[in-house]
Every structure is written in structure tokens, then in C-alpha cells.
Amino acid sequence: MLTYHQNMSIQSQNAMPNRNYYVPYASLEQAKTSTHKFDSSRVMSLDGTWDFTYFENERQLPANFFSQVSSDFSGSIEVPSVWQNAGFDHHQYVNVTFPIPYDPPFVPTDNPCGLYHRTFELNCDDSNRYYLNFEGVDSCHYVWVNGQWVGYNQISHSQSEFDITDYCQSGTNHLTVLVFKWSDGTYFEDQDKFRSSGIFRSVYLVERPQAHLQQFRVNTTIDLEKVRGDLIVTFDDVANTLSKKYWLYDTSGELVAHEEDFGGQLAVTIENCQYWTAETPNLYTLIMEVNGEFFKQKIGFRELAWHDRQVYLNGQSIKLLGVNYHDNDPITTRVMTPESLKKDMLMMKAINMNTIRTAHYPKMPEFYELADELGFYVVSEADLECHGIVNLYGNKANYNLVGSDESFLPGVLERIERSVVNNINFPSIIMWSMENESGYGLNFEIGQARTRELDPTRLIHNERAIEPDSTRDNDMSNLDVISMMYPDLRNIEKMCQDESLTKPLFMCEYAHAMGNGPGELKDYFDLIMKYDGYLGGCVWEWADHAVSQTQADGSVKYLYGGDFNEEVHDNNFCVDGMTTPDRKMTAKLIAYRNIHAPLQLVSIDLEAQQVILKNINRFKSADAYQASLRLKVDGVIVKEQSLELSDFPAHSEKTFSIMSLDYASSQLVTVELVITYLEERPIEEHNVVGIQELIIHEPERVIEVENKDEAIEGSSLKVSTSENQDTLVISGDDFSYTWQHSRAGFKQLTVAGQDRLVSTSHFTIWRAPTDNDMYIKQQWLGAGYDRATLALRQSHVEQTDESVTIQNRYALVVVGKQPVAQIELNVTIQSTGEILMDVTFDKDPEFPDLPKFGLNLPLTKELADFEYLGYGPYDNYRDKKEACQIGVYQSTPMEEWHHEYIKPQEYGNHGHCEWLRIGQDHGFEIKGVPNFSYLVHSTEQLTRCANDADLVAEDAYYLSLDYQQNGIGTNSCGPYVQEKNRFSENHFNWQFSITPII
């Protein structure tokens, strides 16, 4: 009997036929008022504490294990949960490689399994039937009731239903479930996630009459001209013979249609119909009575069409601005609740996402109900990924193997069918996705044809169709979009301009949000808005995958691949979300929100006193928002004006008259558009709809060194040289600086008698690599950038009564390599203590782009705060700054450590810096530095350390004054940064000043 899980032709045994999701209720009132399936008196929840025993393999199972009672079990476990969270087995994170040897249909002999048991009470009624439902079990499960075998099922993320009427008895019943960690389904479920096992979604029993509805199908059409909606519900053959009634309630709960007894199908027309869209998720409530059972179905009147490379909803071309969404929680791993789903989805709405791809499997039913209610376009994906094929050896590593080998067809087809049939009545689903990273071929073409047969009203998507089987003629006739993963922006534009393409472009994944990223997000958005044929895309991905571990001091450490002693793992590649495991509102989310704001700041003309805004909503006017313009001079708001948003329909531009502003050529002038909701949101941080900014005037950066000697009576400038001529001590009133020629840095900066350096300052080109530096990092390491030092080639010192100028030449060198660059460094120290640094940098073009170039100063911790004019308050980079606005900000190194990046890496940069002040007393004022960071941790520790929780306090705060940094990009799983965002300059000159605050 225990062989079904190693048979590719069997997906289930004795399970009921696939049906659409529904819940039967006992009365009209119960159906109307219920908020959850367990509110139904016909549904018995079997969630809770079960008896449980874990076995390393099935050979350890006792004889007649299926007849065991509670006292026979070694412990207990909660359902839903995964047994790795209960102390059994271990977590494993794998991205691509199969977690077991590839030899389908076989799995390892030592296949861990969990034996589950619980009792339930029944008062059996011969007029009823009893159906046992599982909503999610990984990887497969065998079921017994009262010691009698019931059936088998695999396909982890799908409903399975068993008729257990003949096995039940009045009184106490025993339910036993054997779950295997691996099955032949493991070869179909190689998704990028933590691999975990057990009953991870709800289990329940449904009591139904002997003759009952089996399935029904909802269809809606609309007539825009007549503002009318038509609803048709068709039923299975059994239901067609049964008595039926219906009640249809509008969006406010008013009864708008009712029929006491109707025939084979339900048909109703609604005048003045309120249509469903993601922006206006108007839902009607249909309640049907069929032979004494009541069924509630939310109805979204909407109609999809696709032509001319565009997708139309209710006659309007739409854009998909979304995210990939795994089931993922730091405490429960893959176990989600309606509450956790809603929390996530409200955050998504708050940052202007309108689309969710269910990566890479169908969600629990409550997700789709929430998507209907809250308003999301859903790309619902089958539980199907076979990515590990690409890591097989030799010719077997054929990406299209699963698509072309007929032995995989039963599994492929059943997984696709279940994903469609189970969820077919949710209006939020606009596209069926066949699979992820499983290649292409005839098997998928059969699946696509079957999907079209089951549902001709929605689009069909297959991610791997972009690279079909080159050995055959591929049939793309049932695919409706051209899907792409992590495309290069240049290629996208070429495809958008290619008139031979007839289908819209859709990025099922883009903007890999791993670690410090994603960069260049706005560039993708701009192209989506520019081209009608560019449907949109889904960022990868919503939240970091990590397992929470509480430390002895009460703090939390987030664990990723390799932290569980797994032999096979993919490190921190799972830590790739827009938000943290515990769902903080990160700078990434705020950047997405601002970029995708429904009202866009198009242009401003201060001379004409006009600003142009664009409402990019497709259905919703701007009167749900309030907006104001802020004019800022040198980071300070000088004027603010509210904008009247009435008569501002969806998908239109509007010109507003604005106030005038006078400013000097030396001033930095910006304008901010601040959009909030007219009505406050339940969660305060969700009130802001978006903030956008334009720079109106930018002054030229000129570093002027003022000679203040005349204002300082008796000022003196003294210079002394060490015996070896390597160090200079330059001192004046209230300051003393020690310069070291060989290190190209200051050994000490003393202000008002207080030493401010913990160790020698130094120039560097190294940054702690970000996750998105994954590939360029190899070039950087190969070039020795992490080991590069300055070698003194020439030194000259000039002194006057007012200043000392150090004129040195250096080579930037690495052991075993030619010089990376030649550097001329002029350091002028005024009698006031002001330091002017003039750097001329000439890089050998043979070397790769630089990570950065800047001056690092390890400062004493007495200098614990700073203020600056520049982008803030979040860290930002040349291609990742949309979460920020230019302003005057105050912070501390500790406040800069946001704990957003589980794996330590470069963080904390602030760009477009006009000036910077470090410390309140006896610190420094700095000008001419475009980028800076002031951090708790050294670059060396950030480079070396593997987890944010392992970072330790150091004896300094680290100030980095940077000329430039390389862009952030998304190259951990995407293209390298665009040319405009690369630090590819081979020659530059940079001047900046450091002035003591005395």
C-alpha cells in the first residue's frame, strides 16, 4: 500500500474529483453572517493538537500503526504546522538543486515520515455523507479512519477531499495520517524556499446530504454602455436535478435579486452594476440553497479581454504592478493564517501594489477571498517547479526534460487542473500560471490547452515559454503573454518597440530585492508606463525567508540556508524580500510606494507657476486622496500649498496653478508632492500614499577655502616632522593634526585638546559587498580591490604663514597585480584648522568598475550624532533613492543600523550631500562630499560577518566620505547595473573640505 508516493502515474487514490472551493452552511442566516469556513455548523475543524510520532524512515513504523491510539504515540504536534518547527528533522533551504538524488519516481530509502493521530466525535446520520478535507500536506499523505484505509494524495499546495462516510461510526472516531517527507511529487515541487514537512494547512470534516451539489461555475459579463452586469452560474449534473434558490445582495448588503426555484442554471442581470477592479473591489454576495445546503460566493462583475498587446479589464487597459508572494513566516515558516495574510496584503495595498503572483503554488482559499475583498489582480500558479533539472549531469541537464518526457505528463496535468478547478470562481484571478522554472514542451502545451478548455475567460501564462524547445515546433497558441524573468532594460525596450510581437510583455519576476536593493526600480516603472504593450511585472519577492531563533539575551537571530547543518543549501539566497521576516516597513517598500504612487509628479515650471500631475489609476479618480506641494530651499520647507483634486479622473493629467518662489543661484531648490488618503487608514504608517520629488535648481559645488587668519589675533601654524620624515604634525590654535605620508591619512585629528581619531584615516575603494554585488564581487576580488593599498611615490610639503600644503603622489596597488590607479593628493591645512583635500584619480581601464572611492575616518564615540543636508532619512544610492527626499536630517550611527539586511553588507549611504556636521562640540563640518555614511561597524566587519545578529560593537564609529559608489542594481538574480549607474569613471578630480567645529 505504501507505494503510491513512488509512482509517477498516481497523484491520488480514492480522493473525490476536483471541485471548486466552497463551504456549505446550514441556513441562510449562517451563510450571510459567517466570516470563516469554521463558522459553518456543517464544518468541523480538525485543527489543533494531534498525537504525533516522528520516524527516520518507514521501516521504523510499528505493525498496524494505522490502528494506534493516543497512548501509543510519543508526543504531540499542532496542526497546521511543520514538524521541523516542533524539533524533528531539520530545516533546509534550497533554491535550485533537488534536495534528494534525482531518480524519479524513487526517493531515498531513509525517507522521514510523521504519523499523526486524533479523534473526533460524530453522531452519524444515514441521510448525510461525511467528507474529510486537507488543504495542504507536504509531501504526501496516506489516510486511515478507525483503522481502515481511506486513500492517498500528493500535490502539497492543493485541496484533497475523501468521502469517509463508510468508515465513520457514531461516537469516537480515530483519524490516522501518515505523511512522508519525500515522494515523486518532490521532483515537481522544487520551489525556492525552506523545505518543510507535515500538515501545514487546515484539516476539517464536512457534513452533507446524500444528494448534493458537487461543483458550480460563476461567469460574469458586463455592458459598459448600459452599466449592466450579467451573472450566470452553471452546475454539475447532480445539482441540476435538485431544488435551488438564490439571493443576490449588492455591495451595501441590499437584496437586489432573488428566485425561489430555478432550473439548470442561474441567470440574473443587474442594472447600474458596480464593477469589480483592483482599485474598486466591489463585491456582490450570492447565496444559493441547493437541497438544504447554503453556499456563499462573492461575485465580482468584471470582464477580461486581451488584444493589441494590451490587457483590458472592463474595457480599460490595465497595468500589473505587483509582487511574488511565498507562504513565509519567521516563526511558523510556511504556515499562514487569514490574519497574517491580511496583514501582508494590507501592506501591499499601502505601497500601491495591485498584483500578486502566488509564487510558486496555489494559496489557501482565504488568500483568494482577501484578494477579492481588498482588490488585487492575481496570477495564480500551479504547484509545479522542477528547477533542479538544470543541475543534473551532462545531457540530462535539459531544462525541457519535464516538458517533453511523457512520464511527467500525469503530474503536470493534474497539478495544472487542480490549480484551475479549485480556484476558478475567485474574481481576483485574472491569469493562470502553468509552472515556474520547469522548462517547456508538449506536456505543458497539453496543460495549456486543458486550461483554455476549463476556463477561456482568463489569460494563460508560462514563464519558460520565453526559451522553448529548439528541437521541435512549439505551440504557443494558448499563451497570452510573453513572460520574462529579470530582463535587461535595454532588451525590454527593444521588445516593446518590436512590432512583430503581438502579445503583451509581462515580467513574472524582476527587481530581485535581496539585501541592499533593489536598485533601478524606477527605470522599470518608467518603461511600464511608457509602452502600452508592457503589461507590468512582479517584484521578487515580498518577504525575506528566515527562521527566527531567540537568543539568550532575548534578541532574535534570523537563520538562513546553512544554519541548520544541511549538507545541501543555498546560503542566504532566500533572504530576498522587500520586507523583513517580521514585516517591517522598510526603505524598499517606501521606495516602491513612492515610485508607484497613483498621482505622479510629471513636471513643474516655477516661472509659469504651474505643476502637472498624472493620475495613473485606471478606474479611480483622485478625489480619494489629498495632496500638497512643498517647495524647499536648502532642504527646508519655505512654502506649502494644497492641491484641489476634484475633477481629476483616472488615467488623465491635470495642470495646477502654484505659488511663486524666488531663490538665489547658490541655493538648492526642490519640490515635493505629498499624497495622503482623505480618510485615515487603520494603520498610521499606511496613511501616506506616496511622496515624489523633483530638483528644480542645483547649485554648482565649489569648495572655497577661506583665509581667516586676519580675524584670529596671534594665530600661529606650527609644523614638525618625524625623524623618518613620514609624519607631519600641523598645529594651530585649538587644533593639532598628525599626517602620515605612507598611509595617505591622518593618524590623529585633535580639536580643542580632544583626540577624534581612533585609528589612522585611509582612502579606500572597497565596500562590504551587497547581495546584488554577487557577481561583480568576483571581479573585484580577482582584481584585489579588497586588498588595495596606497603606495607613496612622491612627497612634497609647502608651508606659508597661513597654510601647509602636502603634495603627494600614490599608486593604488595590489600584491601580484599592476597598479589599479595613480592618485595625486593635495592636502591643504589652513591656520584655522580647515582641511582642503584635492584628489586626482586615474584608473587603469583594464580594471573593473570600482565599488567606491572615499576616505574612511574611524572616529571616537563621543562624536555620536550628525546632521546633514542631502537625501534622507533612509540609506540611498544613485539608483536607489526614491524612498528619500532632500532635506536637513539628524541621526546617530546606532539609528542608522536598521537591521534590514540579515546578511551584513554595505548600508547607510546618504547621497546628494551638500554639507555634513559630525558631533555637537569639537567635531567637524564637511563640504564637497557627495556621499557619506556614519556607521557602527567597520567595512571589514561587515565584509567578514555572516549574520546581522553576530555583529559586535567596535571602539569607533566609522565615517566614510565618498566621491562615488557603484550602483546597487539587482544582479543577485538580474542584470548588472546600467551604464549610467556604474562607477566606471577612469579619471576624476574631487575636492572637499573638513573644518573643525571649535
mmCIF file of all heavy atoms in Angstrom, residues 332 338 446 795 800 808 813 853 883 908 960 981:
data_model
loop_
_atom_site.group_PDB
_atom_site.id
_atom_site.type_symbol
_atom_site.label_atom_id
_atom_site.label_comp_id
_atom_site.label_asym_id
_atom_site.label_seq_id
_atom_site.Cartn_x
_atom_site.Cartn_y
_atom_site.Cartn_z
ATOM 1 N N THR A 332 6.460 30.332 12.031
ATOM 2 C CA THR A 332 5.733 29.141 11.572
ATOM 3 C C THR A 332 6.236 28.632 10.226
ATOM 4 O O THR A 332 5.704 27.641 9.724
ATOM 5 C CB THR A 332 4.233 29.453 11.465
ATOM 6 O OG1 THR A 332 4.032 30.459 10.460
ATOM 7 C CG2 THR A 332 3.683 29.947 12.791
ATOM 8 N N PRO A 338 -5.338 33.482 8.103
ATOM 9 C CA PRO A 338 -6.020 34.610 7.461
ATOM 10 C C PRO A 338 -5.535 35.956 7.984
ATOM 11 O O PRO A 338 -5.424 36.920 7.226
ATOM 12 C CB PRO A 338 -7.495 34.362 7.808
ATOM 13 C CG PRO A 338 -7.598 32.884 7.988
ATOM 14 C CD PRO A 338 -6.291 32.472 8.607
ATOM 15 N N ILE A 446 -0.114 20.591 -23.578
ATOM 16 C CA ILE A 446 -1.343 19.864 -23.244
ATOM 17 C C ILE A 446 -2.020 20.517 -22.041
ATOM 18 O O ILE A 446 -3.248 20.698 -22.011
ATOM 19 C CB ILE A 446 -1.032 18.381 -22.975
ATOM 20 C CG1 ILE A 446 -0.545 17.698 -24.257
ATOM 21 C CG2 ILE A 446 -2.257 17.650 -22.408
ATOM 22 C CD1 ILE A 446 -0.015 16.286 -24.046
ATOM 23 N N SER A 795 56.558 62.789 -2.512
ATOM 24 C CA SER A 795 56.017 63.615 -1.444
ATOM 25 C C SER A 795 56.688 64.984 -1.441
ATOM 26 O O SER A 795 57.899 65.101 -1.650
ATOM 27 C CB SER A 795 56.222 62.922 -0.083
ATOM 28 O OG SER A 795 55.708 63.721 0.959
ATOM 29 N N THR A 800 53.328 78.117 4.245
ATOM 30 C CA THR A 800 53.295 79.579 4.316
ATOM 31 C C THR A 800 52.827 79.957 5.710
ATOM 32 O O THR A 800 52.546 79.089 6.549
ATOM 33 C CB THR A 800 52.321 80.164 3.278
ATOM 34 O OG1 THR A 800 50.990 79.831 3.655
ATOM 35 C CG2 THR A 800 52.602 79.619 1.882
ATOM 36 N N ASN A 808 51.346 64.971 -2.570
ATOM 37 C CA ASN A 808 51.846 63.593 -2.662
ATOM 38 C C ASN A 808 51.278 62.889 -3.879
ATOM 39 O O ASN A 808 50.187 63.214 -4.354
ATOM 40 C CB ASN A 808 51.461 62.790 -1.419
ATOM 41 C CG ASN A 808 52.244 63.215 -0.190
ATOM 42 O OD1 ASN A 808 53.121 64.067 -0.276
ATOM 43 N ND2 ASN A 808 51.920 62.621 0.952
ATOM 44 N N VAL A 813 47.813 49.998 -5.249
ATOM 45 C CA VAL A 813 48.482 48.746 -5.623
ATOM 46 C C VAL A 813 47.862 47.553 -4.912
ATOM 47 O O VAL A 813 47.237 47.668 -3.857
ATOM 48 C CB VAL A 813 49.990 48.810 -5.293
ATOM 49 C CG1 VAL A 813 50.671 49.890 -6.113
ATOM 50 C CG2 VAL A 813 50.213 49.029 -3.802
ATOM 51 N N PHE A 853 34.920 55.018 -4.033
ATOM 52 C CA PHE A 853 36.172 55.672 -3.673
ATOM 53 C C PHE A 853 35.857 56.693 -2.603
ATOM 54 O O PHE A 853 34.946 57.530 -2.762
ATOM 55 C CB PHE A 853 36.834 56.379 -4.859
ATOM 56 C CG PHE A 853 38.117 57.065 -4.458
ATOM 57 C CD1 PHE A 853 39.268 56.338 -4.259
ATOM 58 C CD2 PHE A 853 38.152 58.442 -4.239
ATOM 59 C CE1 PHE A 853 40.445 56.957 -3.859
ATOM 60 C CE2 PHE A 853 39.323 59.067 -3.853
ATOM 61 C CZ PHE A 853 40.478 58.322 -3.662
ATOM 62 N N ALA A 883 12.945 56.301 -1.849
ATOM 63 C CA ALA A 883 12.333 56.346 -0.520
ATOM 64 C C ALA A 883 12.649 57.649 0.194
ATOM 65 O O ALA A 883 12.014 57.976 1.195
ATOM 66 C CB ALA A 883 12.830 55.170 0.327
ATOM 67 N N GLY A 908 23.752 52.316 4.715
ATOM 68 C CA GLY A 908 23.844 53.603 5.388
ATOM 69 C C GLY A 908 24.288 54.780 4.559
ATOM 70 O O GLY A 908 24.442 55.885 5.090
ATOM 71 N N SER A 960 32.541 57.434 6.555
ATOM 72 C CA SER A 960 33.050 57.218 5.197
ATOM 73 C C SER A 960 32.605 58.383 4.332
ATOM 74 O O SER A 960 31.396 58.623 4.167
ATOM 75 C CB SER A 960 32.514 55.900 4.633
ATOM 76 O OG SER A 960 33.064 55.628 3.361
ATOM 77 N N ASN A 981 24.640 53.990 -14.001
ATOM 78 C CA ASN A 981 24.710 53.777 -12.552
ATOM 79 C C ASN A 981 25.988 53.074 -12.115
ATOM 80 O O ASN A 981 26.119 52.708 -10.946
ATOM 81 C CB ASN A 981 23.493 52.986 -12.079
ATOM 82 C CG ASN A 981 22.209 53.750 -12.266
ATOM 83 O OD1 ASN A 981 22.149 54.953 -12.036
ATOM 84 N ND2 ASN A 981 21.153 53.065 -12.705
#
